[in-house]
């Protein structure tokens, strides 16, 4: 019993060490529950469950050994230049699109604050009409101008929101899903290389009965890891191809919409801005006020 307890504790401590080296990869885990087991829980396990933990720990030990060896340059790794270049480019693009999303959100927040200022200023102009009759005409004109800016601004704000939502979906859903597949592929590649290197070592070792048995067992595991790696490589290529098509289709549309909306807003063309919003099915919040306030462009009303 003491030997059994020492073995289980040693298994758990080794799993914790591998967890640290692998940056959080769980080793001593319950197959039905992904939470890491405590030493007390490990002590209550039946021998079959202990055997599962042993296999899990050995696999992750090989993974860690291969990973550390690659970092130190002490072992070989499988390199697919085309795949690695596409993955590197995708990771760079994700960082760039995430930066674009961050700045677009900041633009939305600041522009929304500007529109709130237009609305408050318009309210103040209307309030002042009754208190300064001599300035009533000028105050009303300024109120109308603020209303037009506010209405057109709501349209541009809707365009910005649509742009932000599309970027959010691209970065945090579509790209993230592909990145997760890539992580699975990279982990499978490390496992494949770990067993490939160990298989090569056994093949070069003296061909004793024990080594031959180990070699046969290792060949079965190696073939399984190789099939997993090849399958995930195919999945990775498929995901990256679909992502590229989706990105080009969606972002071309959104960039054209955003550019057109910005031009229409700053040229004072409220009618064109409304047409753009209708074309891309973008909704804005309905405002109180004159319904035909945007029937003419901002510049046309002040010619």
């Amino acid at each position: 019993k003491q030997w059994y307890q020492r073995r289980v504790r040693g298994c758990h401590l080794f799993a914790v060490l591998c967890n640290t080296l692998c940056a959080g990869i769980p080793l001593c885990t319950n197959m039905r529950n992904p939470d890491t087991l405590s030493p007390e829980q490990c002590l209550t396990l039946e021998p079959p469950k202990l055997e599962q933990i042993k296999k899990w720990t050995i696999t992750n030990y090989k993974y860690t050994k291969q990973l550390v060896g690659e970092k130190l340059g002490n072992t070989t790794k499988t390199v697919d230049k085309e795949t690695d270049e596409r993955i590197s480019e995708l990771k760079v693009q994700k960082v760039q699109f995430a930066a674009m999303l961050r700045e677009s959100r900041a633009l939305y927040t600041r522009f929304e604050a500007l529109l709130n200022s237009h609305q408050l200023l318009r309210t103040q102009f209307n309030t002042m009409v009754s208190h300064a009759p001599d300035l009533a005409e000028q105050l009303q004109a300024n109120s109308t101008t603020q209303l037009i800016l506010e209405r057109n601004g709501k349209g541009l704000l809707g365009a910005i929101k649509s742009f932000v939502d599309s970027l959010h979906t691209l970065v945090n859903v579509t790209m993230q899903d592909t990145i997760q597949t890539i992580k699975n592929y990279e982990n499978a590649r490390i496992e494949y290389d770990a067993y490939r290197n160990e298989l090569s070592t056994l093949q070069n070792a003296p061909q004793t009965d024990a080594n031959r048995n180990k070699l046969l067992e290792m060949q079965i595991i190696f073939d399984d890891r190789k099939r997993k790696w090849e399958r995930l490589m195919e999945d990775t290529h498929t995901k990256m191809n679909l992502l590229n098509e989706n990105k080009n289709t969606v972002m071309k549309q959104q960039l054209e919409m955003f550019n057109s909306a910005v031009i229409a807003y700053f040229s004072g063309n409220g009618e064109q801005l409304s047409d753009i919003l209708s074309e891309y099915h973008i909704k804005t919040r309905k405002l109180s006020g004159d319904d035909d306030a945007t029937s003419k462009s901002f510049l046309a009303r002040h010619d």
Side-chain angles (χ1 to χ4, degrees):
K1 182 179 179 181
Q2 290 178 350
W3 173 86
Y4 174 75
Q5 291 177 346
R6 286 197 302 270
R7 187 173 180 181
V8 174
R9 289 182 183 276
C11 174
H12 177 72
L13 291 174
F14 180 74
V16 172
L17 174 62
C18 289
N19 273 330
T20 303
L21 293 175
C22 294
I25 297 174
L27 301 179
C28 184
T29 57
N30 187 329
M31 300 307 171
R32 295 182 181 179
N33 186 347
D35 295 334
T36 302
L37 296 176
S38 65
E40 293 75 15
Q41 289 174 311
C42 285
L43 290 174
T44 63
L45 294 177
E46 297 296 328
K49 185 66 69 174
L50 178 62
E51 190 65 26
Q52 283 184 313
I53 294 177
K54 178 183 175 181
K55 291 180 180 180
W56 187 277
T57 304
I58 291 173
T59 298
N60 283 274
Y61 165 73
K62 295 180 187 297
Y63 179 100
T64 304
K65 181 181 177 181
Q66 175 68 25
L67 185 61
V68 172
E70 290 178 6
K71 297 292 185 183
L72 298 177
N74 297 331
T75 188
T76 61
K77 60 180 290 188
T78 302
V79 177
D80 186 321
K81 186 176 180 181
E82 179 185 356
T83 302
D84 291 346
E85 287 178 351
R86 292 187 65 186
I87 289 174
S88 297
E89 178 60 28
L90 173 59
K91 290 180 178 179
V92 171
Q93 285 189 9
K94 186 175 186 295
V95 171
Q96 297 300 322
F97 276 113
M100 186 186 299
L101 174 60
R102 183 174 61 252
E103 296 304 324
S104 298
R105 282 174 170 163
L107 175 63
Y108 180 88
T109 301
R110 292 164 185 165
F111 195 72
E112 186 178 36
L114 175 63
L115 294 185
N116 288 334
S117 296
H118 282 309
Q119 188 174 30
L120 293 173
L121 187 57
R122 175 173 62 86
T123 302
Q124 189 60 35
F125 283 142
N126 289 333
T127 302
M128 284 294 296
V129 170
S130 59
H131 297 284
D134 295 339
L135 300 175
E137 183 178 351
Q138 289 77 15
L139 289 169
Q140 189 61 50
N142 276 275
S143 175
T144 302
T145 300
Q146 293 301 315
L147 177 61
I148 295 170
L149 290 173
E150 186 182 338
R151 283 180 174 274
N152 291 349
K154 291 296 182 182
L156 180 58
L157 190 67
I160 296 173
K161 186 177 186 305
S162 175
F163 187 69
V164 168
D165 290 344
S166 296
L167 272 176
H168 171 78
T169 302
L170 175 66
V171 173
N172 297 320
V173 179
T174 312
M175 280 188 163
Q176 188 57 40
D177 178 66
T178 304
I179 291 294
Q180 184 58 53
T181 302
I182 289 172
K183 288 180 180 178
N184 295 338
Y185 158 73
E186 290 175 338
N187 289 336
R189 197 275 304 163
I190 294 174
E191 285 187 15
Y192 162 73
D193 278 340
Y195 283 98
R196 176 180 60 80
N197 288 325
E198 186 161 345
L199 182 64
S200 177
T201 301
L202 286 174
Q203 289 172 340
N204 295 326
Q207 294 302 302
T208 63
D209 290 340
N211 283 344
R212 278 194 290 269
N213 291 333
K214 288 181 180 179
L215 183 61
L216 290 174
E217 181 181 351
M218 186 60 61
Q219 185 68 52
I220 294 173
I221 299 174
F222 168 76
D223 291 339
D224 177 69
R225 295 300 188 276
K226 183 178 180 180
R227 286 192 295 269
K228 178 182 178 182
W229 170 64
E230 290 174 343
R231 175 176 54 81
L232 284 170
M233 178 187 286
E234 184 178 351
D235 291 346
T236 297
H237 280 285
T238 301
K239 285 285 185 72
M240 287 193 294
N241 290 336
L242 292 174
L243 172 62
N244 191 56
E245 293 176 5
N246 179 270
K247 177 193 66 179
N248 290 338
T249 300
V250 173
M251 290 312 300
K252 279 182 180 179
Q253 183 186 60
Q254 286 297 312
L255 287 168
E256 289 174 357
M257 178 277 298
F258 185 63
N259 185 55
S260 299
V262 170
I263 292 174
Y265 173 78
F266 283 101
S267 65
N269 196 333
E271 185 176 346
Q272 181 184 0
L273 182 58
S274 297
D275 292 340
I276 293 170
L277 299 179
S278 299
E279 179 182 354
Y280 290 94
H281 308 289
I282 299 173
K283 295 181 179 180
T284 60
R285 286 180 293 176
K286 187 175 181 180
L287 301 173
S288 60
D290 190 4
D291 290 336
D292 63 353
T294 56
S295 59
K296 295 183 180 180
S297 74
F298 171 77
L299 297 177
R301 292 180 63 89
H302 291 76
D303 285 343

